[in-house]
Amino acid sequence: MLLLAGTLSAQDNTQQNAERLMAAALNSAHGYETLSYLSDNIGPRLTGSKNAALAVQWTTKRLRSWGIDAHTEKVMVPHWVRGVESARLVSHNDQPLVLTTLGGSVATPPEGLVADVVEVRSFDELKTLNVRGKIVFFSGSMDMDLVRAGRSFEAYRKAQEFRTKGADQASPYGALAVVIRSVASDSLRTPHTGAVRYEGKVKKIPAAALAAEDALLIHRLLAKGEKVRMHLLLRPRTLPDVESANVVAEIRGSERPDEIILLGAHLDSWDLGTGAIDDGAGVAMVMETMRLIHDLGLTPKRTIRAVLFMNEENGGKGGNQYFADHKKEKHIAAIETDAGSAAPRGFLTTLKGDALSQFAARVPMLDRVGAAKFDNAEHTGADTTPLIDAGVTGFGLVPDQRHYFDYHHSAADTLDKIDPHELAQNTAALVALTYVIAETGMPSPR
C-alpha cells in the first residue's frame, strides 16, 4: 500500500506542477514580448540573410540571460535572394499582375520572357496539351470545404504539389516557365510564396505564384477562348551557401539525463512578411516553455532540449543537420510547433492504440485550454521528420487551422495577426505536455 501511495503521490505532483506551469504561461506576457522583438525588431529571417544571423545571435543571448544553457550548432544553408519580380498581360492592355517568385526559382532572361499562357489543372494534362514555348499556369487551389472543416493542412498538402513540383513536371514538355495560383485560403490580392523543388533531372525553369485574384483573371480570359500572353520578369539569385546555426538549449534531467525530449520550432522565415505566424510564434512558445520550467525551479527527470532550427522553409538543412549530429543519442519524444498560434485544438502524435490511451490519461490538464485531443499522424513536423523516421515518438501542436493559410508565406504574416492570449494558451499546452513527458517518459505498448 505504501508503494501504491507513493506512486499516486508522484503522479499527483507531476500533474500539479504541470498545472502550475500552465497557469504561469497564461498569466505571462513574456512569450508575446519575445515574438514582438523577433518579428518587429529583427524582421524577416530568410535563410542566409543578415536578419537570420541576427535571430540566431539574439535568441541565444536571450535564453542565456534567463539562466538557461544555450549554444549554437553549425548548419550550412542555401542563400537565395528574391530580386526583381513583375508580370503583365501584354495581350490585354499591359494589365499588371501581382505575383511573387517561388523560393529557389531560377531567373528569367534579364529582359524577361514573353509567351502565351496555357492553363493546366493536373500533371496528367501536360501530356495532352501543347505547352512547348509557353508559360504553364497551374490553376489548382485549396479545397475550401476542407478548410472550413478545420482540415486546412490536408488541403494545403494537396494544393502545394503544383508549387513544389510544377516546374519539374512542365519542363520536359518544353514549357518556358510556370506560374501557379497561390496556395492560400484567402487573399486581398496578396501572393503567397514557398519553395519550388528542382530534382536536377530536367532543365530548371522559372516559377512564380500569382495572387488568387490574378489567377482567377487569367482563368476567366482563357475560359472565354481568348489568347492570353504574358511578360514575366523574375530576377532571383542563388549565392554560395552560408554558414548559419541551429540554436540549442537544455534543461538537464535530474535522474535520466541521457533520455531527451526535443522541443522544436524553426527560426527562419520567408522574406515577404516578418514571420510572426510561421514560425516566430513557435519559436516564442519553445523559448517561453524553457523559461517557465527554469523560473519555477523545476528539474524534470529527463532532459528537455529546445532546438530552434534554421532553414525549414527552403531546404530543411537544420533538421537534417541536427539528426546527423545527434542521431546516436536517446531521444524519447520529439515535439514540434510550426502551425501558427490560433486557439489550441490538441496535438498530432505518432502514438497509437493502447499507448496513446495511456498517455492521454496523463495529461487531463490540457483540457483547460482545449488541447486534450490527440490525433494519430505518420509525421508531426518537418524538422523532426528525420527523428520520427528513426522511430522517435512525435508530437505536433495543432492550433485552429481555419485561417492559417490566409497569411502563410505572404506579406501579411505579421505580428498584428497574433492574439496574445491565444499565444499564451498554446504555450500553456506545450509546456504541460513537455513537462509531463520529461517526468513520466513514454508509455510502452502492452
Side-chain angles (χ1 to χ4, degrees), residues 229-248:
R229 195 163 174 82
M230 181 189 298
H231 175 266
L232 179 67
L233 176 65
L234 307 176
R235 298 303 296 160
R237 292 177 295 152
T238 298
L239 304 175
D241 286 359
V242 171
E243 180 177 330
S244 187
N246 292 329
V247 178
V248 181

Side-chain angles (χ1 to χ4, degrees), residues 26 266 325:
L26 292 169
H266 69 86
D325 293 342

Side-chain angles (χ1 to χ4, degrees), residues 100 142 144 147 152-153 156 163 182-194 269-281 313 339-343 400-419 422:
T100 191
M142 291 182 69
M144 292 306 296
V147 173
S152 294
F153 278 82
Y156 174 74
R163 189 195 77 209
S182 284
V183 185
S185 51
D186 200 3
S187 177
L188 289 174
R189 215 176 180 196
T190 305
H192 296 236
T193 192
S269 77
W270 284 109
D271 53 325
L272 300 180
T274 60
I277 299 170
D278 184 18
D279 186 28
E313 294 292 7
S341 65
D400 189 322
Q401 302 178 12
R402 288 173 295 175
H403 295 287
Y404 179 75
F405 292 102
D406 294 359
Y407 315 114
H408 175 259
H409 290 185
S410 80
D413 182 358
T414 48
L415 184 67
D416 51 284
K417 310 307 185 306
I418 303 294
D419 181 299
E422 291 178 344

Side-chain angles (χ1 to χ4, degrees), residues 130-299:
N130 177 19
V131 302
R132 184 167 299 279
K134 299 176 182 177
I135 296 172
V136 167
F137 163 47
F138 287 109
S139 58
S141 62
M142 291 182 69
D143 183 335
M144 292 306 296
D145 287 336
L146 288 177
V147 173
R148 286 186 284 269
R151 296 160 59 191
S152 294
F153 278 82
E154 184 179 341
Y156 174 74
R157 282 190 291 271
K158 294 178 179 179
Q160 74 161 344
E161 286 204 340
F162 294 118
R163 189 195 77 209
T164 57
K165 301 176 182 178
D168 266 10
Q169 290 289 323
S171 178
Y173 296 95
L176 297 181
V178 162
V179 293
I180 68 165
R181 173 172 169 164
S182 284
V183 185
S185 51
D186 200 3
S187 177
L188 289 174
R189 215 176 180 196
T190 305
H192 296 236
T193 192
V196 60
R197 295 177 188 163
Y198 298 115
E199 297 297 331
K201 298 176 182 178
V202 298
K203 179 183 177 181
K204 296 179 181 179
I205 59 175
L210 291 158
E213 294 87 343
D214 295 76
L216 290 168
L217 166 65
I218 293 173
H219 169 74
R220 290 194 301 270
L221 294 173
L222 291 170
K224 290 190 289 186
E226 298 185 21
K227 180 178 181 179
V228 176
R229 195 163 174 82
M230 181 189 298
H231 175 266
L232 179 67
L233 176 65
L234 307 176
R235 298 303 296 160
R237 292 177 295 152
T238 298
L239 304 175
D241 286 359
V242 171
E243 180 177 330
S244 187
N246 292 329
V247 178
V248 181
E250 275 194 358
I251 296 174
R252 190 164 176 78
S254 60
E255 295 184 15
R256 300 184 179 184
D258 60 317
E259 295 185 9
I260 299 165
I261 294 86
L262 183 143
L263 178 62
H266 69 86
L267 193 52
D268 62 305
S269 77
W270 284 109
D271 53 325
L272 300 180
T274 60
I277 299 170
D278 184 18
D279 186 28
V283 169
M285 292 177 215
V286 168
M287 292 176 67
E288 183 68 354
T289 291
M290 299 297 279
R291 187 193 70 81
L292 288 165
I293 294 172
H294 176 271
D295 282 8
L296 264 65
L298 300 175
T299 306

